[in-house]
């Protein structure tokens, strides 16, 4: 057995280190709580660190860097993300890779900057105008933080898209003992410059994604545009080729979803009728609750979803096997549940929701034991 | 002027999309001539554009192009320029209209302040051409008097603002005959250069050159003698290289989960004490978590550290009612008062002794922690005292942590004061 390499560490350090090892070249950010440690580590670790004067500049600088082949990442919380939205749409339309880490905190508005939350998933579900999906990963523990940061980098570069890593204050500012042996060596990713045949800036290549030619390239002249465009990047209003190109932006992410869909299904040793579904920071409480219920003779399965968006049909297939499904999320209405089932979920789909504090294991146990929803 | 110069290799030769008589084409043709005269190849040039009439230019350039959002080309262009600094002799040229410059004013000032090598060309036709001729922040005073629009509010002088913010070169040009020379100076500048070109808008603005000359701001030209900012990437060591590996050196004294809250004030060493306690727990074979809590204004008010030890892996890190609370200041007490329960054992500084009867527990140990050391060391002394009494892990584990700290001498002196408390 390998000798443990225990340390006291926080999630911010693990995420930044993983992003750097996975191919990030630049950290661009405006500081905001609870992303403070991400910013500090970004400065210490990334080959290029840029202190932007605001969040709009942050995304614009990132887009400019990415267009030249310098892979950027940032970290922010809702108030900063809100300012970035138009620029994120721009990067999405231009097909510029980047990773955006969100450290969720209690809203609405300024809310409570040092209180954790899971309240920004609905925003990400509709963040691209027109119903286009964007990849959203959410780590449930430090090992996930390492693995999913790597996957986020791979997905962003492979599919030329902004990718979100949805964390929480509790993930990025907690310190805990951790065995560094659990961090496996990572593969480093880069822009895919493989061109087959004639080069056109938005002619799809592998995975429905155009090969990447950076600004300043000496072999090919390239064009990026945020307006509706054809394969040559000519701006076109609504001609069929341009609209087909716009649809491709969604198709490349949905048709390749199997490539980056990640979840864990922890099954009880006994057949279970009850399933707890959760994501992000609430997974810790869910793991404890499920273990406790099993010790009491109540078989319960646990589904921790790590690729939250786009929604994979596999999730419905899993949930169809249970009589009772409980969504545990630290927000007011159960945002992931609403994304999956709308505002009128079937009766056997229940919620455990809470704001202002982490959901406790005992609260999940109470809901499961009494077959009820809880809004706390 | 409505067509491109045919001999240009910088331009595609496509017909200009501007209204007949529009001034934007003059600027584009002059820029193309300057770039060719200076020997730039199309591959060397990245044109950054945004929205509005000035944003129609990217198909005209036979160069690299990137077309973004209204008002953001100075920021997008800066990102491009910083990225291209990793390569030799690549030039970033951003275009913006007067409307975009009003939106992106801060971006322009930031470009000037940073002084990275790029050129920004402001095509100021005095109004918003695409939405019906509304005025912008750069509409000149005399033009606003003609159209009777906000005549009591002066325009921004973008050239003086950019100069004051540090632009290497900043100039306004009104006369088309001077345009090429000014653009050449801007392109040759190493650093941030900005050129404002005031021009005709035959649809909503000034339709003739002699009329335009009546309303424009005077030509200006400024330089700041500063070197261009160089942006270079450099590899840095792994964060994990500096992460201490904590080998178990002590045996835990209990086999169950224990939790602690240390409550004090900002500047009292509460956060470092919490981290040291958690580290000591790991040295003693425990799983440990440490959560710090303090106001946004980190230099004042309460400071609280929550520490959990468990021989088994810890998942849920919440801590509602602690089994042990160490409280050394008023701020700390008020922050955690409601979390103290009947089963909580409290280690209380003597200066808070009068508060003991207000707490819902009888299990209170009062000691002169602050008086024995000082305000900055009281949390550490109280925590060490608590650890010695609670016998969860050996006190020696904490001593080991402190001995390896850069402030070991100070910390160990604090520990030596424990005997004064008995």
């Amino acid at each position: 057995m390998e000798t443990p390499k225990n340390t006291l560490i926080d999630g911010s350090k693990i995420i930044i280190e993983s992003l750097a090892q996975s191919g990030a070249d630049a950290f661009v950010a405006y500081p905001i709580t609870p992303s403070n440690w991400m910013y500090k580590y970004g400065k210490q670790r990334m080959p290029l660190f840029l202190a932007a004067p605001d969040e709009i500049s942050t995304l614009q600088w990132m887009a400019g860097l990415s267009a030249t082949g310098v892979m950027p990442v940032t970290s922010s919380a809702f108030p900063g993300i809100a300012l970035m939205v138009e620029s994120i749409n721009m990067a999405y339309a231009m097909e510029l890779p980047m990773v955006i880490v969100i450290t969720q905190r209690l809203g609405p508005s300024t809310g409570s900057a040092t209180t954790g939350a899971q309240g920004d998933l609905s925003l990400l579900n509709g963040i691209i105008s027109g119903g286009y999906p964007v990849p959203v990963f959410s780590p449930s523990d430090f090992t996930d933080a390492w693995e999913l940061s790597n996957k986020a980098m791979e997905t962003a570069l492979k599919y030329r898209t902004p990718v979100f890593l949805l964390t929480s204050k509790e993930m990025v500012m907690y310190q805990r003992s951790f065995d560094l042996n659990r961090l496996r060596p990572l593969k480093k990713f880069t822009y895919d410059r493989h061109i087959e045949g004639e080069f056109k800036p938005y002619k799809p290549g592998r995975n429905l994604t155009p090969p990447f030619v950076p600004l300043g390239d000496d072999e090919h002249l390239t064009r990026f545009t945020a307006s509706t465009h054809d394969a040559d990047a000519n701006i076109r209003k609504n001609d069929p080729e341009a609209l087909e190109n716009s649809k491709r932006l969604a198709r490349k992410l949905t048709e390749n979803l199997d490539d980056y869909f990640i979840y864990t299904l922890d099954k009880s040793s006994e057949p279970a009728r009850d399933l707890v579904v959760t994501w992000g920071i609430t997974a810790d409480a869910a793991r404890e609750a499920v273990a406790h219920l099993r010790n009491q003779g109540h078989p319960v399965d646990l589904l921790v979803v790590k690729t939250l968006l786009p929604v994979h049909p596999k999730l419905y297939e899993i949930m169809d096997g249970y009589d009772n499904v409980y969504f545990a999320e630290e927000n007011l209405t159960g945002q992931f549940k609403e994304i999956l089932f709308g505002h009128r979920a079937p009766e056997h789909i229940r919620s455990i929701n809470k704001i202002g504090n982490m959901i406790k294991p005992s609260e999940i146990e109470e809901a499961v034991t009494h077959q009820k929803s809880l809004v706390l | 002027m409505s067509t491109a110069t045919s001999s240009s290799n910088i331009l595609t030769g496509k017909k200009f999309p501007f209204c007949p008589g529009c001034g934007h084409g003059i600027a584009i043709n002059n820029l193309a001539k300057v770039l060719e005269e200076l020997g730039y190849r199309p591959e060397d040039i990245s044109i950054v554009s945004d929205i509005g009439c000035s944003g129609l230019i990217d198909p005209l350039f036979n160069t690299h192009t990137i077309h973004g959002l209204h008002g953001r080309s100075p920021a997008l262009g800066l990102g491009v320029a910083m990225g291209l600094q990793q390569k030799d002799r690549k030039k970033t040229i951003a275009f913006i209209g007067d409307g975009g410059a009003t939106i992106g004013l801060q971006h322009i000032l930031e470009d000037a302040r940073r002084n990275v090598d790029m050129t920004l060309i402001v095509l100021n036709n005095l109004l918003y051409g695409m939405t019906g001729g509304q005025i912008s922040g750069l509409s000149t005073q005399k033009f606003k008097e003609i159209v009777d629009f906000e005549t009591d509010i002066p325009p921004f002088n973008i050239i003086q603002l950019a100069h004051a913010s540090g632009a290497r070169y900043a100039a306004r040009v009104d006369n088309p005959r001077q345009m090429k020379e000014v653009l050449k100076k801007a392109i040759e500048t190493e650093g941030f250069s900005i050129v404002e070109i005031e021009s005709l808008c035959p649809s909503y603005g000034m339709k003739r050159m002699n009329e335009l000359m009546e309303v424009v701001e005077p030509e200006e030209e400024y330089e700041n003698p500063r070197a261009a900012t160089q942006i270079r990437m450099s590899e840095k060591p792994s964060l994990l290289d500096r992460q201490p590996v904590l080998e178990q050196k002590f045996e835990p004294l209990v086999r169950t989960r224990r939790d602690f809250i240390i409550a004090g004030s900002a500047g009292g060493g509460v956060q470092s004490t919490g981290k040291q306690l958690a580290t000591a727990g790991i040295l003693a074979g425990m799983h440990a978590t440490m959560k710090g809590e303090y106001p946004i204004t980190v230099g004042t008010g309460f400071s609280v550290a929550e520490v959990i030890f468990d021989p088994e892996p810890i998942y849920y890190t919440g801590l509602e009612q602690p089994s042990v609370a160490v409280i050394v200041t008023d701020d700390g007490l008020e922050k955690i008062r409601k979390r103290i329960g009947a089963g909580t054992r409290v280690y209380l500084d003597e200066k808070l002794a009068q508060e003991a009867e207000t707490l819902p527990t009888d299990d209170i140990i009062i000691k002169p922690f602050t008086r024995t050391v000082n305000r900055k060391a009281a949390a550490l002394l109280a925590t060490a005292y608590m650890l010695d009494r609670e016998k969860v892990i050996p006190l020696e584990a904490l001593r080991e942590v402190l001995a390896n700290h850069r402030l070991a001498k100070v910390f160990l002196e604090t520990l030596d004061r424990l005997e004064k408390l008995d």
Side-chain angles (χ1 to χ4, degrees):
Chain A
M1 186 176 164
E2 200 171 14
T3 306
K5 292 172 69 178
N6 289 323
T7 193
L8 186 68
I9 197 168
D10 56 83
S12 295
K13 189 174 282 186
I14 290 174
I15 289 169
I16 290 292
E17 181 60 32
S18 174
L19 290 171
Q21 289 193 23
S22 304
D25 296 312
F27 187 87
V28 187
Y30 182 88
I32 187 170
T33 303
S35 281
N36 319 37
W37 295 358
M38 306 280 301
Y39 190 94
K40 177 177 75 173
Y41 297 138
K43 183 173 186 301
Q44 292 173 359
R45 181 64 176 91
M46 293 296 177
L48 179 60
F49 171 84
L50 295 167
D54 60 85
E55 287 87 349
I56 294 175
S57 298
T58 297
L59 246 290
Q60 290 292 328
W61 292 6
M62 288 171 69
L65 289 167
S66 189
T68 64
V70 176
M71 179 62 187
V73 302
T74 191
S75 177
S76 191
F78 173 79
I81 300 296
L83 290 174
M84 293 175 182
V85 170
E86 188 191 16
S87 300
I88 291 168
N89 275 256
M90 181 194 82
Y92 188 87
M94 288 181 172
E95 299 188 67
L96 292 173
M98 57 181 62
V99 173
I100 301 165
V101 183
I102 301 182
T103 54
Q104 294 175 104
R105 64 186 225 186
L106 184 64
S109 186
T110 324
S112 179
T114 53
T115 301
Q118 292 179 278
D120 297 338
L121 181 59
S122 292
L123 169 71
L124 299 184
N125 191 41
I127 198 164
I128 305 298
S129 176
Y132 295 80
V134 65
V136 177
F137 298 98
S138 186
S140 70
D141 57 24
F142 283 2
T143 308
D144 277 354
W146 183 255
E147 299 285 342
L148 296 184
S149 298
N150 180 257
K151 195 68 184 174
M153 189 66 64
E154 179 189 12
T155 305
L157 286 159
K158 191 170 181 180
Y159 300 107
R160 286 186 55 176
T161 181
V163 170
F164 290 92
L165 195 64
L166 192 59
T167 72
S168 163
K169 180 254 177 178
E170 309 292 352
M171 167 69 68
V172 299
M173 294 192 83
Y174 244 91
Q175 296 179 81
R176 61 166 80 206
S177 50
F178 184 76
D179 183 356
L180 294 172
N181 289 326
R182 291 167 64 186
L183 305 181
R184 68 177 176 92
L186 297 177
K187 183 178 177 185
K188 187 170 186 171
F189 301 99
T190 189
Y191 292 79
D192 182 357
R193 303 184 183 200
H194 177 76
I195 299 170
E196 285 183 6
E198 181 193 11
F199 170 71
K200 291 185 174 188
Y202 288 109
K203 178 185 160 193
R206 294 190 284 220
N207 306 307
L208 291 170
T209 305
F212 183 84
V213 169
L215 294 175
D217 189 73
D218 285 321
E219 190 175 346
H220 300 284
L221 289 175
T222 193
R223 295 182 186 274
F224 296 91
T225 179
S227 298
T228 307
H229 55 270
D230 61 18
D232 289 309
N234 294 315
I235 298 174
R236 296 282 181 263
K237 284 181 68 177
N238 52 1
D239 76 28
E241 184 190 342
L243 293 179
E244 211 47 51
N245 183 68
S246 294
K247 289 175 189 169
R248 180 186 56 77
L249 298 177
R251 285 178 53 218
K252 70 180 178 183
L253 296 173
T254 53
E255 293 183 18
N256 293 300
L257 178 54
D258 282 348
D259 183 38
Y260 61 94
F261 177 58
I262 301 170
Y263 69 97
T264 54
L265 179 60
D266 175 16
K267 301 193 79 156
S268 176
S269 57
E270 301 292 322
R273 296 170 55 217
D274 297 331
L275 175 71
V276 173
V277 181
T278 193
W279 56 278
I281 195 65
T282 304
D284 276 333
R287 289 184 182 109
E288 242 178 71
V290 166
H292 194 229
L293 286 165
R294 288 174 184 170
N295 285 340
Q296 290 177 325
H298 186 153
V300 181
D301 291 353
L302 174 63
L303 174 62
V304 179
V305 186
K306 300 175 184 182
T307 305
L308 297 170
L309 298 172
V311 170
H312 196 293
K314 175 76 177 174
L315 293 174
Y316 295 102
E317 189 184 307
I318 293 170
M319 287 184 286
D320 284 347
Y322 296 88
D323 294 342
N324 303 293
V325 177
Y326 302 86
F327 279 79
E329 304 176 65
E330 196 181 328
N331 55 54
L332 199 60
T333 55
Q335 295 186 350
F336 192 45
K337 185 198 72 172
E338 286 185 349
I339 287 169
L340 291 169
F341 294 101
H343 293 286
R344 192 173 179 181
E347 279 187 15
H348 73 287
I349 305 291
R350 300 184 176 88
S351 291
I352 303 137
N353 299 127
K354 189 177 186 179
I355 61 168
N357 279 295
M358 288 192 291
I359 295 171
K360 298 179 196 172
S362 60
E363 291 161 348
I364 297 172
E365 289 175 45
E366 182 187 349
V368 173
T369 303
H370 297 98
Q371 293 190 0
K372 64 178 185 180
S373 291
L374 279 180
V375 179
L376 302 159
Chain B
M1 181 73 66
S2 61
T3 56
T5 303
S6 58
S7 61
S8 171
N9 69 346
I10 293 292
L11 298 177
T12 55
K14 286 185 180 174
K15 184 181 177 185
F16 284 178
F18 311 120
C19 303
C22 175
H24 291 352
I26 301 171
I28 290 165
N29 274 332
N30 275 293
L31 175 65
K33 286 177 191 165
V34 166
L35 293 173
E36 286 167 11
E37 285 177 15
L38 292 175
Y40 282 100
R41 305 170 304 154
E43 294 81 13
D44 299 330
I45 305 297
S46 292
I47 297 290
V48 186
S49 60
D50 62 14
I51 301 299
C53 296
S54 69
L56 299 172
I57 59 164
D58 56 315
L60 308 178
F61 280 91
N62 181 41
T63 63
H64 296 285
T65 64
I66 182 166
H67 174 73
L69 304 180
H70 200 194
R72 309 300 173 201
S73 63
L76 181 61
L78 180 55
V80 172
M82 291 189 287
L84 289 179
Q85 284 220 339
Q86 317 308 316
K87 302 173 182 175
D88 292 332
R89 198 175 160 76
K90 299 293 179 184
K91 194 77 185 177
T92 305
I93 303 168
F95 280 86
I96 197 165
D98 50 302
T102 309
I103 295 174
L105 188 62
Q106 184 200 350
H107 300 316
I108 298 174
L109 304 187
E110 186 70 21
D111 286 358
R113 185 170 79 99
R114 289 190 178 256
N115 198 36
V116 172
D117 187 28
M118 67 175 277
T119 297
L120 177 66
I121 298 172
V122 183
L123 297 177
N124 181 5
N125 60 3
L126 315 183
L127 49 78
Y128 297 137
M130 275 193 171
T131 51
Q134 300 86 351
I135 57 146
S136 75
L138 272 64
S139 298
T140 64
Q141 189 65 31
K142 287 178 181 171
F143 177 71
K144 289 197 288 186
E145 287 167 4
I146 292 172
V147 294
D148 191 22
F149 215 127
E150 289 194 345
T151 54
D152 52 344
I153 301 172
F156 289 118
N157 185 324
I158 193 65
I159 295 307
Q160 290 184 13
L161 285 170
H163 173 65
S165 303
R168 179 74 180 81
Y169 178 77
R172 178 183 301 109
V173 59
D174 302 324
N175 186 338
R177 293 190 185 90
Q178 309 299 325
M179 198 180 295
K180 191 177 154 196
E181 182 187 341
V182 171
L183 285 170
K184 188 175 181 186
K185 275 190 189 175
I187 297 297
E188 286 183 311
T189 296
E190 288 188 16
F192 178 70
S193 58
I194 176 172
V195 176
E196 181 186 10
I197 298 172
E198 296 188 312
S199 63
L200 302 168
C201 176
S203 295
Y204 300 105
M206 307 314 294
K207 296 177 174 52
R208 293 186 179 82
M209 192 55 74
N210 59 338
E211 293 173 353
L212 176 68
M213 290 300 136
E214 295 294 316
V215 301
V216 293
E217 294 291 322
E219 294 186 340
E220 298 177 85
E221 185 180 52
Y222 303 99
E223 290 188 50
N224 279 308
R226 50 187 300 227
T229 303
Q230 300 300 318
I231 306 289
R232 288 283 182 263
M233 295 201 289
S234 60
E235 287 301 319
K236 294 173 186 165
S238 167
L239 296 169
L240 301 182
D241 291 349
R242 288 165 270 177
Q243 191 66 26
V245 173
L246 306 168
E247 291 178 25
Q248 184 177 351
K249 293 185 177 177
F250 305 91
E251 289 300 318
L253 304 177
V254 298
R255 298 287 175 188
T256 55
R257 179 171 176 143
R258 294 294 175 91
D259 48 54
F260 316 90
I261 288 188
I262 306 164
S265 298
V270 171
Q271 299 305 316
S272 56
T273 299
K275 186 174 178 182
Q276 287 154 355
L277 178 61
T279 306
I282 299 170
L283 289 182
M286 287 286 202
H287 296 271
T289 68
M290 188 293 206
K291 174 187 176 185
E293 190 181 3
Y294 35 81
I296 287 289
T297 48
V298 293
T300 185
F302 70 87
S303 180
V304 170
E306 299 177 10
V307 176
I308 301 173
F309 288 163
D310 198 320
E312 299 299 321
I314 301 167
Y315 295 113
Y316 176 66
T317 53
L319 199 176
E320 300 300 323
Q321 190 178 96
S323 52
V324 176
V326 174
I327 306 171
V328 293
T329 70
D330 281 339
D331 290 333
L333 174 60
E334 291 314 313
K335 181 59 188 173
I336 69 161
R337 180 186 286 278
K338 290 180 182 172
R339 297 169 67 181
I340 297 170
T344 302
R345 178 173 297 147
V346 176
Y347 290 81
L348 194 65
D349 193 281
E350 68 169 7
K351 68 179 186 287
L352 302 170
Q354 75 280 3
E355 298 287 344
E357 63 186 25
T358 68
L359 300 177
T361 175
D362 296 327
D363 194 355
I364 301 175
I365 298 157
I366 300 173
K367 290 289 173 183
F369 301 119
T370 305
R371 183 159 57 86
T372 302
V373 279
N374 55 46
R375 192 182 71 83
K376 289 186 174 179
L380 175 59
L381 181 67
T383 300
Y385 183 80
M386 175 277 291
L387 198 60
D388 200 29
R389 292 282 297 257
E390 294 294 321
K391 309 234 178 287
V392 177
I393 60 170
L395 181 61
E396 287 310 303
L398 181 61
R399 189 182 297 278
E400 170 92 8
V401 173
L402 300 178
N404 287 306
H405 196 279
R406 64 184 170 83
L407 298 175
K409 183 170 181 292
V410 176
F411 287 149
L412 293 174
E413 281 175 5
T414 298
L415 242 57
D416 290 343
R417 306 301 288 272
L418 276 174
E419 60 191 32
K420 302 274 185 190
L421 296 172
D422 292 324

